[in-house]
Amino acid sequence: LPNRIRKSDVVVIGGGAIGLAIAWRAAQRGLGVTLLERGRFGEGTSRVAAGMLAPIAEARPTEQPLLHLNQASVKAYPGFADELSEASGMDVGYLRCGTLVAARDRDDAEALERELEMRLALGLPVSRLRASEARRLEPALAPSLRLALEVADDHAIDPRLLTAALVEAGLRAGARLRAGAEVATVEVSPRNRVSGVRLTDGEVLETEHVVIAGGVWSEAIEGIPHEARVPIRPVKGQILRLHDPSGAGLVSHIVRIAGSYIVPRGDGRYVLGATMEERGFDTAVTAGATFELLREVIEVVPGVSELVIDEVSAGLRPATPDNAPAIGPTSVHGLWWAAGHHRNGILLTPITAEIVAGMLVGEQRPELAAAFAPARFARGAAQSSTRRDRLMPVGA
Ligand SMILES: Cc1cc2nc3c(=O)[nH]c(=O)nc-3n(C[C@H](O)[C@H](O)[C@H](O)COP(=O)(O)OP(=O)(O)OC[C@H]3O[C@@H](n4cnc5c(N)ncnc54)[C@H](O)[C@@H]3O)c2cc1C
């Protein structure tokens, strides 16, 4: 890895939360940065995300390296949000709301007891609440509630405010941010070194370093040698945005139910999601998914039926074969990945930007990033999933 790179020679492909945060952090470190976004900034998957910062509620014993990365990012969030808000002069919508995981019936309650044990065994801060205790915290919870877990450290951010602030902070730090600029090809020299990028209109930008942060569309970028590619597949998520005409206060925590969740924005707006569907690049919004999400949440928070629906949308989570992100350099000198963040891209924005910007200026790869090296997909070690028609409501 080069220890130093010339100024103005990092091109970031993709203006979602990940690319924008990398551009900001890299510019802050004195690098000359050009970010290329084919559409408008923050209008890819990041625009659809709920914005839960929930490593504990989503922890799985089989995904410990990801849990540690998620936790490191959550720990960095308060400082990151303050600094970003200061640097951009904008509100970033960071809400210290905490999370309740609710059980509606006996089956849910049994599953929740197992979830509690697993989290306690991992040393995660979770507490068990009787239904009456949960309802004291959130009076809008249905009387039929059986049991709840409180995850006091799992919070939320508004991804749309986050990306808007990252654009402003990036510009103020001196990054060059270009919308409407689509990269067709990464140009690699015969000496296996990045030499530039070619846009779809034929324009060529010379650069020594390219960071691929194109989310689920990263795979379409040409010119990347086979051994430096990362397979990424779309995992569709349908999600609703609603508001309460009578103002804030229906719920103040994120409330998660077996297959769905409601996230408060703190001002009477709510996000309710989300499905997990393997259907390729389909972003159609369906009646069945909307119905199921609403039904499940209304069963636990009946007052949701009074909310006004503002938007129903679908986004595509960028998922690698092992569902963990690809962060770091490749076997091609100057070619970096920061993509494949699946359900956790908003949560992982601060730590991903910190890792990539640090390594671009010659810092060592932090230990906790080792498991996410893009090289694990080299030599076709893993194949992109082609499963279709699976509807699994759950998760971010
Ligand atoms: C329903 C749903 C709910 C979610 N909830 C959460 C949550 O609660 N918490 C959480 O942490 N995560 C959540 N996520 C996941 C999160 O949205 C993603 O992991 C994250 O947004 C990925 O960010 P990104 O910057 O990599 O991708 P994107 O936001 O998709 O940005 C990639 C950008 O690259 C651009 N691009 C692509 N190719 C090119 C090219 N060739 N040239 C130029 N530009 C290009 C695209 O136009 C796009 O703007 C959710 C996702 C969904 C769908």
Side-chain angles (χ1 to χ4, degrees):
L1 277 182
N3 284 329
R4 290 180 306 117
I5 58 172
R6 278 206 328 265
K7 289 197 171 180
S8 78
D9 56 4
V10 180
V11 165
V12 178
I13 305 176
I18 298 293
L20 288 167
I22 291 169
W24 174 45
R25 287 307 201 195
Q28 276 184 325
R29 286 171 178 264
L31 298 176
V33 180
T34 300
L35 179 144
L36 303 171
E37 163 56 49
R38 62 177 187 165
R40 291 191 295 199
F41 304 122
E43 302 234 321
T45 307
S46 299
R47 182 172 172 77
V48 182
M52 288 179 293
L53 312 174
I56 299 173
E58 294 189 7
R60 288 186 177 78
T62 52
E63 296 176 351
Q64 294 235 22
L66 185 58
L67 173 62
H68 294 147
L69 191 73
N70 284 343
Q71 283 184 297
S73 205
V74 148
K75 205 164 152 220
Y77 240 109
F80 177 85
D82 278 354
E83 194 187 337
L84 178 59
S85 167
E86 179 82 33
S88 62
M90 293 164 75
D91 175 21
V92 299
Y94 179 65
L95 192 67
R96 288 177 166 279
C97 53
T99 296
L100 293 182
V101 189
R104 297 160 297 184
D105 50 32
R106 184 186 288 189
D107 286 353
D108 275 4
E110 278 173 15
L112 217 52
E113 296 280 11
R114 289 193 296 275
E115 297 272 312
L116 173 67
E117 273 169 36
M118 182 270 283
R119 282 168 182 75
L120 292 177
L122 290 171
L124 300 172
V126 185
S127 33
R128 184 183 189 281
L129 300 182
R130 288 195 303 272
S132 57
E133 294 170 317
R135 295 191 66 228
R136 215 168 298 133
L137 281 180
E138 288 292 359
L141 291 172
S144 55
L145 188 83
R146 296 291 291 239
L147 175 73
L149 302 187
E150 183 182 15
V151 189
D153 296 337
D154 278 1
H155 303 306
I157 194 163
D158 183 336
R160 296 178 182 183
L161 296 184
L162 171 70
T163 51
L166 284 169
V167 170
E168 186 60 28
L171 291 170
R172 289 188 186 184
R176 198 161 166 248
L177 308 182
R178 287 178 56 184
E182 181 169 9
V183 174
T185 310
V186 175
E187 307 215 311
V188 177
S189 77
R191 296 172 61 204
N192 205 33
R193 191 172 279 283
V194 164
S195 62
V197 295
R198 183 181 295 273
L199 275 57
T200 46
D201 65 4
E203 185 186 348
V204 174
L205 277 169
E206 287 187 1
T207 179
E208 289 178 6
H209 292 267
V210 168
V211 180
I212 300 173
V216 78
W217 300 277
S218 301
E219 270 222 302
I221 299 167
E222 291 174 8
I224 302 167
H226 182 68
E227 66 279 7
R229 299 198 75 94
V230 172
I232 295 182
R233 72 183 197 282
V235 179
K236 177 180 175 182
Q238 302 193 47
I239 191 163
L240 290 85
R241 286 176 158 77
L242 313 95
H243 78 271
D244 190 338
S246 56
L250 177 64
V251 288
S252 56
H253 293 72
I254 298 169
V255 179
R256 299 176 69 108
I257 306 110
S260 28
Y261 54 74
I262 179 163
V263 183
R265 289 278 180 253
D267 58 1
R269 290 178 304 137
Y270 298 90
V271 180
L272 196 157
T275 60
M276 297 270 287
E277 304 167 60
E278 307 255 359
R279 287 178 186 275
F281 282 83
D282 163 35
T283 51
V285 167
T286 65
T290 308
F291 171 75
E292 284 301 329
L293 290 170
L294 284 168
R295 190 189 55 75
E296 197 159 64
V297 174
I298 288 172
E299 204 180 324
V300 174
V301 187
V304 166
S305 57
E306 303 298 323
L307 301 184
V308 175
I309 297 177
D310 297 321
E311 187 183 319
V312 188
S313 53
L316 301 171
R317 302 173 185 87
T320 66
D322 62 12
N323 293 330
I327 305 171
T330 65
S331 56
V332 174
H333 297 289
L335 184 66
W336 306 71
W337 280 87
H341 291 72
H342 198 213
R343 312 189 321 165
N344 297 127
I346 303 301
L347 161 61
L348 288 171
T349 291
I351 196 88
T352 303
E354 209 48 57
I355 292 168
V356 175
M359 290 183 78
L360 279 167
V361 296
E363 288 173 9
Q364 291 278 357
R365 182 204 304 273
E367 189 51 41
L368 90 173
F372 306 101
R376 70 191 192 278
F377 301 114
R379 294 179 298 278
Q383 294 298 317
S384 193
S385 167
T386 53
R387 279 176 305 162
R388 283 173 174 265
D389 300 327
R390 276 191 68 186
L391 181 72
M392 304 180 290
V394 131

